[in-house]
Amino acid sequence: MKSVILIEAYTMSAYRAIRPAIVGAHIGYVGVCGLTFSATIYQKDYAYLVDVINIAAQSAGIPRDEYNIVALQNIAKPTKTE
């Protein structure tokens, strides 16, 4: 099952730290609008992506209050209609 995860960066420094980590993770599809990232990933990759984001922010010295992992929403498989 696929899911959508939203990551909000509240500062440019958080954005600059998180962006290359998300892109470099090579999981799912990533979109950006302003300082908000949207990633469509498999549900099993959620914990990995959260770890990648947190490690990238910690490595850059970004405090947790400068970014937030906002939402995880499952995408239902389409049902067959007759």
Side-chain angles (χ1 to χ4, degrees):
M1 177 177 283
K2 289 191 176 185
S3 300
V4 175
I5 181 173
L6 297 177
I7 303 102
E8 289 183 344
Y10 300 123
T11 63
M12 282 305 292
S13 57
Y15 175 85
R16 289 184 189 120
I18 293 170
R19 183 178 178 270
I22 292 174
V23 172
H26 298 293
I27 55 173
Y29 297 97
V30 177
V32 179
C33 181
L35 297 177
T36 302
F37 300 94
S38 169
T40 303
I41 60 173
Y42 286 105
Q43 196 172 21
K44 64 180 178 66
D45 294 328
Y46 174 75
Y48 172 71
L49 185 59
V50 169
D51 286 343
V52 165
I53 293 165
N54 288 331
I55 290 168
Q58 281 181 336
S59 296
I62 305 299
R64 186 65 171 91
D65 63 344
E66 289 190 22
Y67 70 97
N68 194 18
I69 299 167
V70 178
L72 173 68
Q73 181 177 351
N74 295 328
I75 300 171
K77 288 185 179 183
T79 57
K80 206 175 202 183
T81 57
E82 297 181 274

